[in-house]
């Protein structure tokens, strides 16, 4: 065997490397850029509905309901700044700084507490929330930067796995609860809220959301590349069913039956 593994002789010194045509060079430069643009477009397509859902979760108190359209715009703007800062400032070329669901629990609790303290004036509660929440979010980021600079990230290893797993499980349950409540058009606080939603009307309104959510979760695990197609397809099927069922003035009739949110001032 050793005799057959002879070293390959080096090429002669006069051998020249094959020339690369300008067309090949242009293709190599263009293909990754086109791929990145396409990936960014699909990623944004998936993130926009998620950000609208995050807005409904963070500002789930009924006092914020009239202001959800401008709050959604604010959420999208802040998320865009967050991702742009990460993409341009990170030392890792592949970094994507998208907003995650880990902080929704704290932000929602803070906004609800602010609304409870200023219940007599919803406008003051709104102004306080949109100032206080970004300030404490920025302070959290600053704390993470300090922990990183001091190289204290290893302390995370001392947190028990059961604590981390329990926290992540509760975040998932919290998002599920908020999504079902939003689909049913109600506010759910605590486990007793399930009894108020799981009636005939609540089950009817929440069933399509649970079915589409289960479908997206299945596709996301099996074939993530098809997830944007499924998201667009679910919306198309929903509105096709609405127009097929109600016919004329389908949107207004669907609003009356709580399938679509009521008209709100875009602000």
């Amino acid at each position: 065997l050793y005799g057959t593994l002879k070293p390959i002789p080096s090429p002669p010194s006069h051998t020249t490397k094959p020339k690369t045509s300008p067309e090949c060079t242009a293709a190599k430069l263009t293909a990754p850029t086109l791929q990145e643009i396409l990936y960014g477009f699909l990623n944004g397509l998936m993130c926009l509905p998620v950000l609208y859902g995050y807005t409904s979760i963070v500002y789930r108190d009924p006092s914020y309901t009239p202001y959800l359209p401008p709050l959604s715009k604010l959420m999208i703007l802040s998320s865009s700044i967050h991702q742009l800062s990460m993409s341009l400032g990170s030392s890792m070329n592949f970094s994507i700084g998208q907003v995650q669901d880990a902080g929704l629990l704290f932000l929602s609790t803070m906004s609800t507490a602010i609304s409870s303290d200023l219940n007599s004036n919803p406008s003051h509660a709104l102004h306080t929330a949109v100032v206080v929440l970004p300030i404490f979010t920025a302070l959290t980021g600053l704390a993470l930067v300090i922990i990183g600079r001091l190289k204290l990230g290893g302390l995370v290893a001392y947190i028990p796995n059961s604590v981390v797993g329990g926290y992540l499980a509760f975040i998932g349950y919290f998002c599920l609860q908020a999504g079902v409540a939003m689909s049913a058009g109600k506010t759910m606080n605590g486990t007793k809220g399930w009894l108020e939603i799981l009636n005939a009307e609540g089950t009817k309104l929440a069933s399509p959301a649970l079915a589409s959510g289960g479908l997206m979760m299945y596709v996301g695990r099996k074939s993530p590349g098809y997830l944007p197609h499924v998201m667009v397809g679910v919306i198309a099927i929903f509105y096709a069913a609405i127009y097929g069922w109600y016919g004329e003035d389908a949107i207004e009739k669907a609003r009356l039956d709580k399938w679509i949110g009521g008209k709100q001032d875009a602000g």
Side-chain angles (χ1 to χ4, degrees), residues 191-226:
T191 55
K192 294 182 179 180
W194 288 97
L195 300 177
E196 301 176 2
I197 288 182
L198 295 180
N199 49 30
E201 182 184 13
T203 303
K204 179 187 71 174
L205 295 174
S207 294
L210 293 174
S212 60
L215 176 62
M216 293 178 192
M217 184 172 62
Y218 175 80
V219 174
R221 289 180 178 272
K222 296 295 183 179
S223 303
Y226 290 97

Side-chain angles (χ1 to χ4, degrees), residues 25-45:
T25 303
K28 291 181 180 179
L29 293 176
T30 305
T33 304
L34 181 61
Q35 182 181 7
E36 292 169 1
I37 293 175
L38 181 60
Y39 179 80
F41 174 76
L42 295 177
N43 209 13
L45 183 65

